[in-house]
Amino acid sequence: MAEASSAKARPGSGSPWVGQSIARVEDAALLSGRGRFIDDIGVGPGTLHAAFLRSPHAHADIISIDVSQAMRSRGVVAVLHGEDIRAMTSSLVVGVKAPVECWPMAVGRVRYVGEPVAIVVASDRYRAEDAVDLIDVRYAVRPAVVDPRAALTAEAPVLHDGFGGNVASDRSFRYGDPDGAFASAPHRISIDVSYPRNSCTPIETYGVVADYNAGEDAYDVLANFQGPFSIHAVLSRALKVPGNRLRLRTPPDSGGSFGVKQGVFPYIVLIAAAARATGRPVKWIEDRLEHLTASVSATNRAVSLAAAVAEDGRILALDWDQIEDCGAHLRAPEPATLYRMHGNLTGAYDIRHLKVRNRVVVTNKTPTGLNRGFGGPQVYFALERLVQRIGVELNIDPLDVITRNLVPADAFPYKTASGALLDSGNYQEAVRRGAREGALAELKARRDAVRAEGRLYGIGYAAVVEPSVSNMGYITTVLTPAERRKAGPKNGAQATATIAIDPVGSVSVHVASVPQGQGHRTVLSQVVADVFGLKPSDIRVNTEIDTAKDAWSIASGNYASRFAPAVAGTAKLAADRIAARLRRVAASQLNTEVDDIVFVDGHVGSRRNPDNKISFSRIAALSHWSPAVLPDGIAHTIRETVFWTPPELTAPDEGDHINSSLCHGFIFDFCGVEIDRTTLQTRVDRYVTMHDCGTILHPAMVDGQVRGGFAQALGAALYEEYAYAEDGSFLTGTLADYLLPTTAEVPSPIILHMETPSPFTPLGSKGVGEGNCMSTPVCIANAVADAVGAKDIVLPLVPAKLAAIVRGAEPAPPARQNSPMQEKRDGDRKLRGEGEAVVSAGAQQVWDMLLDPNTLAGVIPGCHRVERISDTHFRADVTLGIGPVKGRYRAEVKLSDLDPAKAVTLAGSADGALGFGRGEGRITLRPAPNGGTAIHYIYEAGIGGKVASIGGRLLDGAAKVIIGQFFAALARTAGGGSFASERLSWIARLRQWFGGQR
């Protein structure tokens, strides 16, 4: 990465600031702990705090909700559930035309683990959290579906009655003559792939502070929402107020987003409704467990992709069949993830014939939203895997397949078959330079040498187009042309910037784009400083958004890599307009022609006579101090706001052609990976990434964006997956189970650049922030496929998946004998165990104790009470802790197969805010060798819900400890004895895990 230079000294006489790696303006505050994130900003007196009760089930009817005990809890002001929210708000907009409601809180039915069921508002967060445990919800569990292909079947449980089954949208497209191309092609090569569900994990989670003004019927909301601000209309509609009565503000700093912060908007509705219900401001900060379980994730996608291929590897046509899993609710802007890349389905390749089928399905998983790459990883994983397979099956070097199909260098601007307008580039030159400067020949020689030693080594490639500055109209491609005509045209990518000059000539910049670490303030200060001949330190940039005061549009926000090409470019246009007027003012003051005026080193002067000049601050302030001296016809120079939208972004046409994005960078990646034969860990040996992102505004920050995207993509390739059990239980709810790469796992990529400026943007720049999230997962997958000779590669490439490829499938475990479980819930996390306790009492005494509710209440860990429903049916309330959290459960236990004083079968269930469990166990009593009674037990249980997601690494041990505590207490109550669980001491092991004997 280039060294940052000081912003206080000009890089050279006449040299522009743009293109220099100056020190970031933002860093001084952030690195010294003076950043102002949403949780740092003070709240008004009387502000209340919220906590959510979330569903432990993926799919269930809500039979009843009893909030009475929670309401009696100290400090609680209100408890709201779905019907309360429904009474105060309207359904959120659904992403397709269908008679389906989408509430931000479950109404009548829950559809994913973690869905909000109730919200507690209390004097502080601690009391709110405690009261959540006191809400009594009764559920009737329904079958769930989590696989998108399974969701299409007639047998699948239906999530929403307004959809056709679980299919929210089914559209087919045809461009050119794909059937003719497939009929005449000598080869048809196809691939079936599934892209997994993963997400971004910013350090800062969601945050909302909302207030309601009853007199104005207006809301004031502070949230770390990133946009797009088209969601503002969704929010005002949901809150039943006009847009001018919803003030939405953003904090000065954001602790990362990568797209995810868009998904905070349903919580804006909920917290605003809570503020209205209580008559006081309400604050909510999401915790990490909530964020992983219930924020938003990227879509997972099942793709069948076929190519009609000539003998030389030329791709003549593509046939896409995409099944997009958007989770339990189709919230705006979904299914945008699927259609954002619609114009780019041919990637960087010159393919004129295209057939597409897009199906959007709902499943019992977290709703999806914006994630870095936003549709690109899913498209390119299928397309670039197919390109690699073409090379393998035709015995052609995959790189040759790439180069033979690239869009010709003289074809730009190039219109793809489905309508994207690729603005500029020379893809062949980028590949040549990338291969040469990245030493591809040396890497191939290394691969051959390593393979000669019997090791697993492969090389992978990816060539992708990186779209940026999304066309707001692309999502309407999900509608038919007739539906679009009825709804009216939607298109464009309007960006907004304001330049203001104060009475002493100081320059301020405001843009409607919420930064999340990209360095907005630094780059904008460079751009505007160049226009006015000032230093970046002379420019103050404000990136907070206040919809009540600032200029903004529905396209405002920070997404789709729109900052450099659109937002920074619009700031330049605004500065240019003021500069043009200042030139006329200066020309009249300096008695010279307008064309002779230049802005240099804080002065405005004559190009021909450098001594004829005036300070910038003096000429800039004239509009404030002496507007009468301005030349005739010159407007003020106090403020200029520009709304810019490029004409290239039009609505979809009658043939469903859509230019989904304004700019299209190009990325060529290649890498070498080695797979350890023993551990099957994948190690990236070398990674080279060549980028053409047009004009580079700040080289160091561009490289930072590349490195950040690469690190996230490495996680997607090798570590990260939102895993669900078959019943919809979320299994990766902590960072112990949802694995993220750390600095130790991320190698340093070799970053290369070339620049072909975009003719469509004011600065010639294109987006660069998302590209490696699109190219890197498939590049690594292609390298692994090359190393192990596999056709089917499934991300993430964890050792367990590679073991099946390298070593073959594991043999099935031996059949389990005498399992006590009569009914298993497929997909639950399974707990199995066996153990023995010895008590000094006789068998009849022990038997009586097991059937006595008073005794059970005393020996069950965390038990509050045991109620006898019948002689063989008991109900208990218990509080249990597993891992980092604890919660209250309602347990039901039924006895069967009673053999008095000898044996009994216990079947039980437990439900609570943390999840649920179902199990069965057999207890047998027999005389102990040294007197007393030996109690032998064997059990098998399945657990699900939140407890399954957070306790994955502790469940077995915790269960054994709890069972051990039960039998130890039983032994004490019966008059002494001993306990042996699982033939080893789990308590001792837990002590070792957590640091000794304490």
Side-chain angles (χ1 to χ4, degrees):
M1 188 180 293
E3 292 281 337
S5 61
S6 170
K8 296 187 181 299
R10 193 126 176 110
S13 178
S15 299
W17 291 104
V18 167
Q20 303 295 321
S21 294
I22 68 172
R24 283 172 32 112
V25 174
E26 297 84 351
D27 288 350
L30 296 177
L31 295 177
S32 60
R34 295 195 298 271
R36 296 178 63 223
F37 303 94
I38 189 165
D39 203 26
D40 299 320
I41 297 173
V43 295
T47 297
L48 302 172
H49 297 263
F52 285 98
L53 172 69
R54 298 180 181 273
S55 169
H57 301 286
H59 201 191
D61 293 315
I62 300 174
I63 303 303
S64 65
I65 301 179
D66 183 354
V67 304
S68 58
Q69 192 173 358
M71 278 298 301
R72 290 194 295 269
S73 184
R74 184 180 178 187
V76 171
V77 177
V79 181
L80 307 174
H81 52 71
E83 292 299 336
D84 299 321
I85 298 300
R86 184 174 189 168
M88 288 189 287
T89 67
S90 296
S91 169
L92 299 173
V93 172
V94 179
V96 295
K97 300 293 184 182
V100 172
E101 293 182 335
C102 178
W103 299 97
M105 177 176 284
V107 176
R109 196 198 310 187
V110 295
R111 293 179 173 86
Y112 64 96
V113 172
E115 183 168 13
V117 174
I119 178 173
V120 176
V121 185
S123 56
D124 59 57
R125 177 66 177 261
Y126 306 99
R127 288 172 174 161
E129 293 277 4
D130 288 343
V132 162
D133 287 341
L134 302 178
I135 301 173
D136 185 8
V137 185
R138 302 295 173 101
Y139 298 96
V141 177
R142 289 174 176 245
V145 61
V146 295
D147 180 81
R149 288 190 172 99
L152 296 173
T153 64
E155 301 79 25
V158 175
L159 273 71
H160 300 274
D161 295 334
F163 290 145
N166 291 313
V167 179
S169 172
D170 186 348
R171 285 222 64 199
S172 294
F173 307 86
R174 188 179 301 268
Y175 306 98
D177 182 17
D179 292 337
F182 274 99
S184 61
H187 300 282
R188 179 188 178 96
I189 298 175
S190 61
I191 193 166
D192 290 329
V193 299
S194 294
Y195 195 85
R197 178 172 285 226
N198 52 38
S199 190
C200 303
T201 48
I203 293 175
E204 180 194 49
T205 55
Y206 292 167
V208 180
V209 183
D211 195 8
Y212 175 70
N213 184 329
E216 296 279 343
D217 188 25
Y219 294 91
D220 187 327
V221 176
L222 174 70
N224 51 14
F225 174 67
Q226 72 167 83
F229 274 71
S230 55
I231 300 296
H232 184 276
V234 174
L235 292 170
S236 63
R237 178 184 181 277
L239 290 170
K240 298 182 179 181
V241 295
N244 61 1
R245 295 188 185 274
L246 171 59
R247 180 186 186 187
L248 180 55
R249 297 176 290 120
T250 63
D253 293 306
S254 171
S257 171
F258 320 109
V260 168
K261 293 288 175 63
Q262 168 268 339
V264 73
F265 78 88
Y267 294 99
I268 294 176
V269 175
L270 292 175
I271 302 303
R276 178 171 186 162
T278 60
R280 291 162 63 179
V282 179
K283 178 178 180 179
W284 171 70
I285 301 295
E286 182 186 48
D287 68 35
R288 179 60 58 188
L289 300 179
E290 289 179 297
H291 185 80
L292 284 169
T293 304
S295 57
V296 296
S297 72
T299 60
N300 54 292
R301 184 178 301 175
V303 179
S304 295
L305 177 61
V309 186
E311 292 289 359
D312 64 353
R314 283 275 302 159
I315 301 172
L316 308 175
L318 291 175
D319 183 354
W320 286 89
D321 187 346
Q322 304 185 100
I323 305 171
E324 185 86 334
D325 179 358
C326 287
H329 298 285
L330 201 64
R331 290 176 179 160
E334 294 289 28
T337 308
L338 180 60
Y339 280 91
R340 186 236 181 154
M341 300 292 294
H342 192 76
N344 302 108
L345 290 174
T346 51
Y349 305 121
D350 181 19
I351 304 170
R352 303 313 307 164
H353 306 289
L354 184 62
K355 183 162 60 171
V356 185
R357 185 182 186 187
N358 286 341
R359 281 173 286 181
V360 179
V361 300
V362 288
T363 63
N364 293 110
K365 292 188 285 194
T366 308
T368 59
L370 273 62
N371 268 252
R372 195 173 191 172
F374 198 44
Q378 294 89 335
V379 164
Y380 289 126
F381 187 78
L383 182 58
E384 295 301 298
R385 285 292 298 124
L386 179 63
V387 168
Q388 199 253 11
R389 290 306 306 167
I390 291 171
V392 170
E393 296 193 21
L394 299 185
N395 198 26
I396 302 173
D397 187 329
L399 185 55
D400 289 338
V401 179
I402 289 173
T403 56
R404 290 172 190 175
N405 284 285
L406 291 173
V407 171
D410 60 357
F412 294 94
Y414 172 90
K415 190 168 187 177
T416 69
S418 50
L421 189 62
L422 307 185
D423 44 332
S424 65
N426 186 334
Y427 300 167
Q428 292 81 0
E429 177 62 18
V431 171
R432 283 192 294 268
R433 286 176 53 178
R436 182 179 69 252
E437 297 175 26
L440 177 58
E442 175 187 313
L443 189 64
K444 288 182 175 179
R446 174 167 172 74
R447 176 184 62 182
D448 295 342
V450 170
R451 285 181 172 179
E453 298 173 5
R455 291 148 62 188
L456 297 174
Y457 197 101
I459 293 176
Y461 307 95
V464 311
V465 166
E466 178 181 4
S468 55
V469 190
S470 289
N471 181 353
M472 294 297 289
Y474 75 81
I475 185 55
T476 63
T477 314
V478 72
L479 305 176
T480 65
E483 289 171 330
R484 292 197 297 266
R485 285 194 297 272
K486 184 177 180 180
K490 293 180 176 62
N491 66 282
Q494 194 158 250
T496 308
T498 298
I499 306 293
I501 299 177
D502 69 13
V504 294
S506 300
V507 179
S508 297
V509 182
H510 179 268
V511 292
S513 181
V514 182
Q516 294 123 28
Q518 298 95 328
H520 282 31
R521 293 169 58 202
T522 302
V523 173
L524 289 168
S525 69
Q526 291 176 274
V527 170
V528 175
D530 277 342
V531 173
F532 293 134
L534 303 173
K535 301 187 298 296
S537 56
D538 296 330
I539 313 296
R540 190 169 191 275
V541 178
N542 181 3
T543 55
E544 300 171 62
I545 294 182
D546 183 337
T547 58
K549 298 180 178 180
D550 300 326
W552 60 281
S553 166
I554 62 168
S556 297
N558 187 10
Y559 58 96
S561 291
R562 61 186 265 114
F563 169 68
V567 176
T570 305
K572 181 181 187 305
L573 295 178
D576 282 341
R577 289 188 185 181
I578 288 187
R581 295 200 291 271
L582 287 175
R583 282 191 177 90
R584 293 185 61 186
V585 174
S588 68
Q589 293 282 311
L590 300 176
N591 196 28
T592 186
E593 296 83 15
V594 172
D595 291 344
D596 184 39
I597 295 296
V598 292
F599 296 84
V600 179
D601 294 333
H603 291 84
V604 186
S606 166
R607 178 182 288 105
R608 294 189 297 267
N609 179 12
D611 291 333
N612 185 19
K613 62 185 180 181
I614 191 172
S615 71
F616 174 86
S617 59
R618 181 171 178 180
I619 203 75
L622 274 178
S623 281
H624 284 282
W625 296 105
S626 188
V629 305
L630 298 180
D632 292 342
I634 296 297
H636 68 81
T637 60
I638 294 174
R639 179 181 293 263
E640 181 70 30
T641 296
V642 169
F643 291 87
W644 174 79
T645 192
E648 293 79 13
L649 297 184
T650 57
D653 65 17
E654 289 295 304
D656 289 315
H657 297 89
I658 178 64
N659 186 22
S660 318
S661 301
L662 176 66
C663 315
H664 298 87
F666 177 71
I667 305 171
F668 170 59
D669 288 359
F670 65 90
C671 68
V673 305
E674 182 173 6
I675 301 168
D676 187 285
R677 282 195 178 273
T678 302
T679 66
L680 297 177
Q681 289 280 353
T682 300
R683 179 182 64 85
V684 177
D685 185 39
R686 177 188 293 175
Y687 198 99
V688 177
T689 180
M690 161 62 81
H691 285 255
D692 178 358
C693 61
T695 303
I696 294 175
L697 306 183
H698 190 294
M701 281 197 277
V702 166
D703 281 7
Q705 288 295 310
V706 172
R707 291 174 189 275
F710 172 72
Q712 286 191 252
L714 185 79
L718 300 180
Y719 302 100
E720 299 181 41
E721 181 180 15
Y722 269 28
Y724 291 83
E726 291 180 21
D727 74 336
S729 293
F730 185 54
L731 304 180
T732 48
T734 73
L735 297 181
D737 294 287
Y738 185 78
L739 302 182
L740 296 171
T742 69
T743 302
E745 287 81 40
V746 180
S748 183
I750 298 169
I751 303 172
L752 307 173
H753 294 286
M754 61 179 283
E755 297 180 60
T756 55
S758 171
F760 300 157
T761 66
L763 293 165
S765 55
K766 310 175 186 180
V768 72
E770 299 181 284
N772 278 94
C773 285
M774 303 178 184
S775 61
T776 295
V778 69
C779 185
I780 292 175
N782 281 338
V784 170
D786 182 49
V788 300
K791 177 179 179 180
D792 297 323
I793 291 290
V794 179
L795 300 183
L797 295 163
V798 295
K801 292 179 181 177
L802 296 180
I805 298 172
V806 176
R807 299 170 183 162
E810 289 187 17
R816 187 173 180 84
Q817 299 297 319
N818 301 320
S819 171
M821 288 288 283
Q822 300 300 314
E823 180 182 353
K824 301 187 185 74
R825 291 170 58 91
D826 289 338
D828 291 348
R829 285 214 168 170
K830 297 298 190 296
L831 304 177
R832 297 181 176 93
E834 185 174 356
E836 190 168 278
V838 178
V839 299
S840 58
Q844 185 61 49
Q845 182 183 354
V846 174
W847 179 264
D848 293 341
M849 292 171 62
L850 290 174
L851 300 183
D852 177 36
N854 293 325
T855 302
L856 291 175
V859 299
I860 295 174
C863 185
H864 302 286
R865 66 185 180 91
V866 174
E867 177 186 2
R868 184 198 296 271
I869 307 301
S870 70
D871 288 345
T872 58
H873 183 187
F874 298 87
R875 181 175 296 149
D877 288 328
V878 296
T879 297
L880 296 175
I882 295 193
V885 294
K886 69 176 182 178
R888 191 158 179 157
Y889 289 83
R890 181 181 59 253
E892 303 273 346
V893 178
K894 294 183 179 180
L895 310 181
S896 62
D897 299 329
L898 281 76
D899 187 358
K902 291 183 180 180
V904 63
T905 296
L906 287 80
S909 64
D911 290 273
L914 291 180
F916 57 86
R918 306 285 186 271
E920 205 166 87
R922 183 71 172 171
I923 295 178
T924 58
L925 308 179
R926 56 181 173 78
N930 298 319
T933 302
I935 308 173
H936 181 265
Y937 65 91
I938 181 172
Y939 68 88
E940 185 170 296
I943 58 92
K946 186 176 181 181
V947 70
S949 68
I950 65 174
R953 296 173 183 270
L954 296 172
L955 283 172
D956 281 331
K960 294 173 177 66
V961 168
I962 291 167
I963 291 170
Q965 292 172 349
F966 171 80
F967 281 107
L970 185 68
R972 288 194 302 271
T973 304
S978 63
F979 166 64
S981 171
E982 315 283 329
R983 297 172 179 80
L984 58 90
S985 172
W986 277 94
I987 295 177
R989 179 168 294 185
L990 283 173
R991 284 174 174 167
Q992 293 173 359
W993 288 346
F994 292 103
Q997 299 301 310
R998 293 185 58 190

